[in-house]
Amino acid sequence: MRFETSTIKDIAKALGLSTSTVSRALRDRYEISEETKKIVLAYAEKVNYRANPIARSLKERRSYSIGIIVSEIANNFFSQVINGIESIAYAKDYHVIISQSHESYKQEKLNVEHLASRSIDGLLIALSSETQDIDYLRDLYSKGLPIVFFDRVPDDFETHKVIANNFKGSFDATEHLILSGKRVIAHLTNSETLSNTKERLEGYKAALAKYHIEFKPELVKYCQHGGMHSVELEQAVKELLPLQPDGIFISSDRLTTGCIMALRKTNPEVAHKIAIAGFTNSNLVELFSPSLTSVKQPAFEIGQVATELLISMIEAKRPVTEFETKVLDTELIRMQKQFGNRFL
């Protein structure tokens, strides 16, 4: 049985009005009297009328939909970004279509091309950890698809970008470990090709240099798939433990939570002796064991700003030629441990 919905023609016939009058009343046009608008809107509500997005798209040559590509929706950071995107998109009558790359370049490309074939009006994307070739995005962009990058952004792509202050966030976290008395500080991070990996590594190095601690490359471990594969993460932890780090700075949400579990699984006795500071937007930080000092990104705001910039491109009357890279500040949340009546 096919689901039938009321149309503008149905409403017009029932009320004895022209379809153009009903259409204008539903769009709150000034040339329709307030009394007529009230009658039309009341009847439309009664019959549960909903505008036909396909008809609207054909008429205006727009789908009023935005595509979103993230590595993983379950990631705390990305789920909060999506909430921010939706808060702006829905307020401006756009729908969102979310796809996951699972850190796969092939999956990312397939998802983007599928979304483009569905006539999305614009794309918001955080690149996968495998992505190095973005020619397919350049091609779509050159054909008129507005694209805004967030979090993981390319260097040589002229469009809007929205990121956290990765350098400052990593500097603050590493400095916190140093000021807590740590001197052998390891760094667990994502794929070395990602923009935020590079920026967070530089922040880590800068903090070490400020306190005259030698940077040792062997203390840096890359997880090419960002902790999505537990074997990869556990191997990185096993390689770090013989180096006897007394602190670890971790560069991403999934790696931070995954590292804690890997430490407890690999060597639970040592796990509680290592101080951890890492990027995470989890709301359950205080429950982690061992505890950690966290760098919180303004994920919701990143989503909002990226969406506002994308919609401004979509609705621009002329081609946009001037672009911004918005950098939003992170927040260091220090974990306090109680010893007797003192906090450390």
Side-chain angles (χ1 to χ4, degrees):
M1 181 177 178
R2 189 170 180 270
F3 176 66
E4 298 289 343
T5 59
S6 295
T7 67
I8 287 177
K9 288 183 180 180
D10 295 330
I11 297 173
K13 183 178 180 180
L15 298 178
L17 300 170
S18 69
T19 55
S20 61
T21 296
V22 172
S23 176
R24 291 189 181 101
L26 291 169
R27 288 182 286 136
D28 196 25
R29 293 290 295 270
Y30 70 91
E31 62 264 36
I32 304 300
S33 71
E34 292 301 318
E35 184 62 29
T36 299
K37 288 179 186 177
K38 287 180 181 178
I39 293 171
V40 171
L41 291 173
Y43 188 80
E45 182 69 23
K46 177 182 176 182
V47 298
N48 197 32
Y49 166 78
R50 294 292 180 269
N52 186 333
I54 297 175
R56 185 187 182 194
S57 296
L58 291 172
K59 182 178 180 180
E60 300 184 21
R61 294 186 178 182
R62 288 170 58 185
S63 66
Y64 289 89
S65 61
I66 293 170
I68 305 171
I69 303 288
V70 296
S71 63
E72 182 187 28
I73 295 172
N75 182 298
N76 291 304
F77 169 75
F78 286 123
S79 67
Q80 291 168 28
V81 170
I82 290 169
N83 286 341
I85 291 170
E86 290 179 331
S87 73
I88 298 297
Y90 293 150
K92 296 190 177 184
D93 294 327
Y94 285 84
H95 293 280
V96 300
I97 306 172
I98 306 164
S99 293
Q100 303 178 89
S101 69
H102 297 289
E103 303 292 16
S104 163
Y105 166 73
K106 180 180 179 181
Q107 190 64 49
E108 172 191 284
K109 187 170 182 287
L110 284 171
N111 288 344
V112 170
E113 290 174 344
H114 175 73
L115 289 171
S117 73
R118 300 294 294 270
S119 301
I120 56 171
D121 292 331
L123 177 69
L124 294 167
I125 179 169
L127 297 173
S128 82
S129 61
E130 287 185 355
T131 301
Q132 297 186 50
D133 179 4
I134 57 171
D135 284 347
Y136 80 98
L137 289 170
R138 295 186 198 283
D139 181 55
L140 291 170
Y141 190 63
S142 68
K143 292 176 180 175
L145 178 67
I147 298 175
V148 171
F149 293 94
F150 65 94
D151 185 47
R152 302 156 164 202
V153 305
D155 292 329
D156 53 346
F157 199 116
E158 287 295 312
T159 189
H160 294 302
K161 302 167 189 175
V162 186
I163 61 174
N165 193 333
N166 295 303
F167 180 92
K168 184 178 184 299
S170 58
F171 181 93
D172 290 346
T174 308
E175 183 179 55
H176 171 77
L177 291 172
I178 295 169
L179 294 177
S180 298
K182 312 307 174 185
R183 287 296 180 271
V184 183
I185 301 172
H187 180 32
L188 187 61
T189 189
N190 281 325
S191 169
E192 54 195 309
T193 62
L194 291 173
S195 60
N196 54 12
T197 296
K198 298 172 185 176
E199 291 162 0
R200 292 169 190 180
L201 177 62
E202 290 306 309
Y204 162 77
K205 287 181 176 180
L208 295 179
K210 178 180 177 180
Y211 293 94
H212 309 290
I213 298 174
E214 180 186 359
F215 167 69
K216 296 181 179 180
E218 62 269 24
L219 284 171
V220 179
K221 298 298 177 184
Y222 296 96
C223 290
Q224 297 302 322
H225 295 90
M228 291 190 73
H229 305 317
S230 58
V231 173
E232 178 184 59
L233 182 52
E234 288 172 11
Q235 180 61 35
V237 169
K238 287 178 182 177
E239 291 174 6
L240 282 177
L241 288 180
L243 303 176
Q244 298 183 315
D246 52 11
I248 304 177
F249 162 57
I250 310 174
S251 74
S252 73
D253 208 303
R254 177 173 275 279
L255 281 178
T256 297
T257 54
C259 178
I260 290 174
M261 291 187 286
L263 279 170
R264 293 173 64 183
K265 180 178 179 180
T266 304
N267 194 328
E269 292 183 6
V270 172
H272 291 278
K273 298 177 182 178
I274 300 176
I276 298 175
F279 277 74
T280 180
N281 275 50
S282 172
N283 295 320
L284 303 174
V285 171
E286 66 275 8
L287 301 180
F288 291 174
S289 178
S291 60
L292 65 91
T293 288
S294 60
V295 179
K296 187 173 184 180
Q297 299 180 78
F300 188 85
E301 291 78 7
I302 287 173
Q304 288 186 313
V305 173
T307 308
E308 287 172 344
L309 290 171
L310 182 65
I311 292 175
S312 72
M313 292 176 70
I314 293 169
E315 299 184 348
K317 303 300 182 184
R318 298 177 181 176
V320 180
T321 57
E322 296 184 4
F323 302 103
E324 300 178 80
T325 295
K326 296 278 192 179
V327 182
L328 282 61
D329 280 337
T330 58
E331 179 185 5
L332 184 69
I333 302 175
R334 296 172 176 82
M335 182 56 61
Q336 295 180 317
K337 294 183 179 181
Q338 187 172 6
F339 294 89
N341 295 322
R342 297 184 302 109
F343 284 93
L344 184 62

